[in-house]
Amino acid sequence: KFLNTKEDFLNGQILLIDKPLEWTSFQAVNALKWAIRKKFSLKKIKIGHAGTLDPLATGLLIICTGKFTKKIPELQGQLKEYTGTFTLGATTPSYDLETEVNETFPTDHITDTSIKEAA
Protein backbone atom coordinates (compact mmCIF):
# COMPACT_ATOMS: atom_id res chain seq x y z
CA LYS A 1 0.00 0.00 0.00
CA PHE A 2 1.35 3.41 -0.93
CA LEU A 3 -0.59 5.95 1.16
CA ASN A 4 -0.30 5.62 4.92
CA THR A 5 -2.98 6.42 7.48
CA LYS A 6 -2.69 8.04 10.88
CA GLU A 7 -3.05 4.58 12.42
CA ASP A 8 -0.20 3.25 10.27
CA PHE A 9 2.17 5.89 11.64
CA LEU A 10 1.01 5.41 15.24
CA ASN A 11 1.22 1.61 15.03
CA GLY A 12 4.65 1.90 13.45
CA GLN A 13 6.34 2.53 10.15
CA ILE A 14 9.92 2.20 8.99
CA LEU A 15 10.72 5.02 6.59
CA LEU A 16 13.80 4.96 4.36
CA ILE A 17 14.97 8.52 3.74
CA ASP A 18 17.76 9.80 1.48
CA LYS A 19 19.14 12.43 3.88
CA PRO A 20 19.95 15.69 2.10
CA LEU A 21 23.44 17.19 2.21
CA GLU A 22 23.94 19.62 5.11
CA TRP A 23 20.85 18.42 7.00
CA THR A 24 21.43 16.86 10.40
CA SER A 25 19.68 13.59 11.17
CA PHE A 26 17.70 15.53 13.78
CA GLN A 27 16.50 18.00 11.13
CA ALA A 28 15.31 15.15 8.91
CA VAL A 29 13.40 13.54 11.81
CA ASN A 30 11.96 16.89 12.86
CA ALA A 31 10.76 17.69 9.32
CA LEU A 32 9.00 14.33 9.07
CA LYS A 33 7.54 14.62 12.56
CA TRP A 34 6.13 18.05 11.75
CA ALA A 35 4.69 16.87 8.41
CA ILE A 36 3.04 13.78 9.93
CA ARG A 37 1.61 15.76 12.86
CA LYS A 38 0.23 18.41 10.51
CA LYS A 39 -1.22 15.96 7.96
CA PHE A 40 -3.05 13.91 10.59
CA SER A 41 -3.74 16.67 13.17
CA LEU A 42 -1.73 14.85 15.84
CA LYS A 43 -0.53 16.59 19.00
CA LYS A 44 2.38 14.18 19.29
CA ILE A 45 3.89 11.10 17.69
CA LYS A 46 6.92 9.03 18.59
CA ILE A 47 9.57 9.19 15.90
CA GLY A 48 13.31 8.52 15.84
CA HIS A 49 16.21 7.49 13.63
CA ALA A 50 18.36 4.37 13.65
CA GLY A 51 21.79 6.00 13.40
CA THR A 52 23.17 9.48 12.94
CA LEU A 53 24.59 10.65 9.63
CA ASP A 54 27.06 13.53 9.58
CA PRO A 55 25.59 16.73 8.08
CA LEU A 56 28.11 16.43 5.22
CA ALA A 57 26.93 12.87 4.48
CA THR A 58 24.04 11.91 2.25
CA GLY A 59 22.43 8.53 2.12
CA LEU A 60 20.04 6.18 3.84
CA LEU A 61 18.58 7.38 7.11
CA ILE A 62 16.21 4.86 8.69
CA ILE A 63 13.38 6.56 10.57
CA CYS A 64 10.86 4.72 12.74
CA THR A 65 7.48 5.98 13.89
CA GLY A 66 5.05 4.97 16.62
CA LYS A 67 5.50 1.53 18.15
CA PHE A 68 8.30 0.74 15.67
CA THR A 69 10.61 3.13 17.55
CA LYS A 70 11.23 0.08 19.77
CA LYS A 71 12.91 -1.57 16.75
CA ILE A 72 15.61 1.13 16.56
CA PRO A 73 18.27 -0.78 18.59
CA GLU A 74 17.78 -3.86 16.38
CA LEU A 75 18.13 -1.78 13.21
CA GLN A 76 21.23 0.02 14.53
CA GLY A 77 22.91 -3.37 15.02
CA GLN A 78 22.63 -4.34 11.35
CA LEU A 79 25.62 -4.53 9.02
CA LYS A 80 26.29 -1.25 7.21
CA GLU A 81 28.34 -0.22 4.21
CA TYR A 82 29.76 3.24 3.68
CA THR A 83 31.11 4.71 0.46
CA GLY A 84 32.81 8.01 -0.16
CA THR A 85 35.19 10.09 -2.22
CA PHE A 86 38.49 11.49 -1.06
CA THR A 87 41.27 13.62 -2.49
CA LEU A 88 44.85 12.40 -2.36
CA GLY A 89 47.50 14.95 -1.45
CA ALA A 90 45.32 17.49 0.35
CA THR A 91 44.52 18.13 4.00
CA THR A 92 42.18 20.45 5.89
CA PRO A 93 42.39 21.58 9.53
CA SER A 94 39.24 19.58 10.35
CA TYR A 95 40.20 16.53 8.21
CA ASP A 96 36.87 16.81 6.35
CA LEU A 97 35.06 19.24 4.03
CA GLU A 98 33.97 21.59 6.82
CA THR A 99 37.13 23.64 6.32
CA GLU A 100 39.12 24.60 3.22
CA VAL A 101 42.22 22.74 2.02
CA ASN A 102 45.17 24.26 3.86
CA GLU A 103 48.03 22.10 2.62
CA THR A 104 48.81 20.02 -0.47
CA PHE A 105 51.43 17.37 -1.10
CA PRO A 106 52.82 15.77 -4.28
CA THR A 107 51.08 12.57 -5.40
CA ASP A 108 53.18 11.66 -8.45
CA HIS A 109 54.70 8.70 -6.59
CA ILE A 110 51.27 7.11 -5.98
CA THR A 111 50.32 4.53 -8.61
CA ASP A 112 47.37 2.21 -9.10
CA THR A 113 49.69 -0.67 -8.24
CA SER A 114 50.86 0.88 -4.97
CA ILE A 115 47.25 1.55 -3.95
CA LYS A 116 46.24 -2.06 -4.68
CA GLU A 117 49.25 -3.39 -2.80
CA ALA A 118 48.40 -1.25 0.23
CA ALA A 119 44.77 -2.43 0.31
Side-chain angles (χ1 to χ4, degrees):
K1 133 175 117 168
F2 183 70
L3 297 175
N4 295 313
T5 65
K6 173 170 72 171
E7 290 73 27
D8 289 335
F9 286 108
L10 292 171
N11 287 328
Q13 295 286 297
I14 296 176
L15 308 171
L16 307 178
I17 305 299
D18 184 6
K19 188 192 78 60
L21 182 66
E22 296 185 355
W23 278 39
T24 65
S25 298
F26 177 79
Q27 286 173 305
V29 167
N30 218 28
L32 271 169
K33 184 177 194 174
W34 184 85
I36 292 167
R37 286 178 56 201
K38 183 176 179 182
K39 179 170 176 61
F40 297 111
S41 302
L42 293 169
K43 288 190 177 180
K44 65 183 212 175
I45 185 169
K46 286 181 83 172
I47 186 167
H49 60 80
T52 301
L53 286 177
D54 185 277
L56 293 179
T58 60
L60 179 64
L61 182 65
I62 301 171
I63 297 180
C64 299
T65 70
K67 295 176 183 174
F68 278 22
T69 56
K70 292 180 180 175
K71 295 179 182 265
I72 288 174
E74 177 187 342
L75 293 168
Q76 286 176 322
Q78 298 299 310
L79 194 61
K80 301 168 187 76
E81 180 178 314
Y82 298 93
T83 62
T85 303
F86 61 93
T87 302
L88 294 174
T91 62
T92 69
S94 60
Y95 302 109
D96 60 22
L97 293 177
E98 290 191 31
T99 55
E100 297 293 319
V101 171
N102 66 337
E103 204 168 351
T104 58
F105 303 91
T107 58
D108 297 342
H109 64 286
I110 301 173
T111 64
D112 287 346
T113 304
S114 66
I115 291 172
K116 290 176 184 168
E117 287 174 356

